[in-house]
Amino acid sequence: MTGAGEPTPMRRRLTVLPLVALIFYDVSGGPFGIEDSVRAGGGALLPILGFLVLPVLWSMPEALVTAELASAFPTNAGYVAWVSAAFGPMAAFLVGFSKWASGTLDNALYPVLFLDYLRSGGLVLAPPVRSLAVLALTAALTYLNFRGLHLVGLSALVLTAFSLSPFVALAVLAVPKIRPSRWLAVNVNAIEPRAYFNSMFWNLNYWDKASTLAGEVEEPRKTFPKAVFGAVGLVVGAYLIPLLAGTGALPSETAAEWTDGFFSEIGQRIGGPWLRVWIQAAAAMSNMGLFEAEMSSDSFQLLGMAEMGMIPAIFARRSRHGTPTYSILCSAMGVVILSFMSFQEIIEFLNFLYGLGMLAVFAAFVKLRVKDPDLPRPYRIPVSAAGAAVMCVPPVVLIATVMCLASVRTLVVSAAVAVGGVAMYYGVERMKTAGFVEFLAPVPPDSFHGSSYSASDDNDDVEDVRAGLLAVDPAEEVVSKAN
């Protein structure tokens, strides 16, 4: 959104490789953070099986759904548009709110983890200085996001190469020391189901987050599926290769030592101090990439919701760099507020909130297959509606497992977030009625192209949302509303 007479913000579109890097950082960022799965799994066997099986049962279904629906709805609203088309605006708002909250929780981890890796390298900061460092780091990374998504995508490419480079050296040096029998080690008495599933789930989720960047992608209907599937292979390889190298080269008795940051110790034992420092530097830089990707997804999601008229129009305003200024500031404030929670608290809270949102996304995917089979889907998963429903069963079971293992505190916090989301929805609706806050106008239903939608479906306002999203470039819509 720009003022009258102002030029349209410059927007350099994302191509395949920068989008692959952003999806990689939305989901993974490298093997940093998988160490807890070895400790909580009682040895190497369960995490190795987890990273072999769960990408098939969880990551691929989520990636396939994202590829299909992002190509059908090339808009920054992403999954919010999918749920709106299936279940209506209230359900979409609640999904958008819960996913934005989980994303902001997730992003609150990375400035803290960045400093933790520096501390493991010998840089220890006093608590007041550490708090200031978190604020300064958040501000610097937020500014990079403000400067343009294309710049963020290119920096993500560079960070991906640097973050993975020490693990190539680690794998090569580990080969002579690997004993395959160590990969079968498991101590049943040491297994911690809650920590294990939360670690695995956290390291393999967020595939759909990149859908909120679909409106910024060059030829999204072609580019998005290619980037999603490319990122799947990159993520699985980035987890399995270091995990196999580390667990195969070290004695099975070291399983209890596998906690956050242990890969740097593995580097020390296998390659020496130089490899330890290299891994620590890669881990620190990886957290910067994770922050950038998450911040982009969260802020462009708010922009997409504003373009749909769900939240005030101010969140759709773009800077001269084409980035959503106020959406970025809102996400950055959430990160600062939440960055003082503990690591385990954040992971469990965000997993639960993310799981709630994904249940709605999978339900929307199945319902749209049944409700509107003729919806143009440039990429379509080659299964029937019944097959689509069956494909969603394993990830739904995994989500249910993670949620059943949640603590009472997590249940209370998640319930509070849900209640807060409902209150915000009705508050926003009240603001629309009062007219003292500007909202973008709804898209007219006759702009729909290519669906089985009938004009007589007066009560089916979700079709109207889909109609406009498929027919109108979001950026053009924002500018035209403002001028």
Side-chain angles (χ1 to χ4, degrees), residues 350-368:
L350 72 87
N351 278 347
F352 197 95
L353 290 173
Y354 181 77
L356 286 174
M358 281 310 303
L359 290 176
V361 167
F362 284 124
F365 166 66
V366 174
K367 183 172 182 179
L368 287 174

Side-chain angles (χ1 to χ4, degrees), residues 131-163:
S131 298
L132 289 175
V134 168
L135 293 174
L137 187 59
T138 300
L141 295 176
T142 299
Y143 179 70
L144 179 59
N145 246 278
F146 169 77
R147 287 302 303 271
L149 185 59
H150 182 73
L151 181 61
V152 171
L154 292 178
S155 66
L157 268 177
V158 175
L159 290 171
T160 297
F162 181 75
S163 297

Side-chain angles (χ1 to χ4, degrees), residues 32 80 101 135 150 212 231 260 265 296 319 322 325 352 383 429 444 476:
F32 315 106
V80 178
L135 293 174
H150 182 73
T212 60
D260 292 320
E265 178 63 25
S296 296
S319 69
T325 306
F352 197 95
V383 294
E429 291 301 302
E476 296 172 358

Side-chain angles (χ1 to χ4, degrees), residues 143-478:
Y143 179 70
L144 179 59
N145 246 278
F146 169 77
R147 287 302 303 271
L149 185 59
H150 182 73
L151 181 61
V152 171
L154 292 178
S155 66
L157 268 177
V158 175
L159 290 171
T160 297
F162 181 75
S163 297
L164 296 181
S165 59
F167 294 100
V168 176
L170 177 70
V172 172
L173 294 173
V175 169
K177 302 180 180 182
I178 288 177
R179 303 293 180 269
S181 60
R182 294 169 178 167
W183 293 334
L184 304 178
V186 57
N187 180 357
V188 177
N189 295 325
I191 296 175
E192 301 174 25
R194 180 189 296 174
Y196 172 76
F197 278 105
N198 272 302
S199 177
M200 298 299 298
F201 189 66
W202 179 61
N203 281 293
L204 288 168
N205 63 17
Y206 281 90
W207 292 96
D208 64 322
K209 291 294 288 186
S211 68
T212 60
L213 306 178
E216 312 301 310
V217 173
E218 185 82 24
E219 297 186 276
R221 292 180 169 90
K222 296 179 180 178
T223 301
F224 222 93
K226 294 178 183 177
V228 167
F229 298 135
V232 169
L234 185 60
V235 167
V236 174
Y239 285 152
L240 274 177
I241 293 173
L243 180 62
L244 290 170
T247 56
L250 297 184
S252 302
E253 293 75 22
T254 61
E257 299 179 48
W258 284 69
T259 56
D260 292 320
F262 189 64
F263 268 119
S264 62
E265 178 63 25
I266 295 173
Q268 170 80 29
R269 297 181 188 183
I270 292 177
W274 64 273
L275 187 53
R276 177 191 181 98
V277 172
W278 192 2
I279 290 176
Q280 287 171 340
M285 299 306 291
S286 174
N287 282 295
M288 293 179 63
L290 288 162
F291 185 100
E292 290 300 309
E294 185 65 58
M295 175 68 76
S296 296
S297 298
D298 292 343
S299 58
F300 276 97
Q301 177 199 318
L302 293 182
L303 179 144
M305 292 177 71
E307 289 172 347
M308 292 177 66
M310 287 189 169
I311 58 178
I314 191 172
F315 290 103
R317 289 183 179 172
R318 293 179 184 261
S319 69
R320 66 181 182 277
H321 307 292
T323 49
T325 306
Y326 292 96
S327 294
I328 289 175
L329 289 174
C330 181
S331 296
M333 287 176 60
V335 168
V336 171
I337 292 170
L338 296 170
S339 62
F340 300 101
M341 296 174 63
S342 74
F343 183 84
Q344 287 300 327
E345 282 179 333
I346 288 178
I347 286 183
E348 191 169 323
F349 291 161
L350 72 87
N351 278 347
F352 197 95
L353 290 173
Y354 181 77
L356 286 174
M358 281 310 303
L359 290 176
V361 167
F362 284 124
F365 166 66
V366 174
K367 183 172 182 179
L368 287 174
R369 275 298 193 96
V370 174
K371 173 187 174 185
D372 202 340
D374 297 326
L375 169 69
R377 295 170 170 89
Y379 172 79
R380 182 185 181 93
I381 305 170
V383 294
S384 64
V390 171
M391 185 187 77
C392 293
V393 171
V396 167
V397 170
L398 177 61
I399 292 171
T401 301
V402 171
M403 295 175 75
C404 288
L405 292 171
S407 64
V408 174
R409 184 178 182 183
T410 297
L411 294 174
V412 172
V413 170
S414 300
V417 171
V419 171
V422 172
M424 287 186 64
Y425 174 77
Y426 284 109
V428 168
E429 291 301 302
R430 174 59 182 155
M431 285 192 289
K432 288 181 184 179
T433 304
F436 55 83
V437 176
E438 181 186 3
F439 287 81
L440 297 184
V443 179
D446 57 3
S447 62
F448 182 66
H449 294 288
S451 166
S452 56
Y453 169 73
S454 170
S456 62
D457 245 341
D458 293 333
N459 293 326
D460 200 358
D461 58 351
V462 298
E463 301 284 350
D464 301 351
V465 172
R466 184 174 64 234
L469 292 173
L470 289 171
V472 181
D473 184 321
E476 296 172 358
E477 175 72 4
V478 173

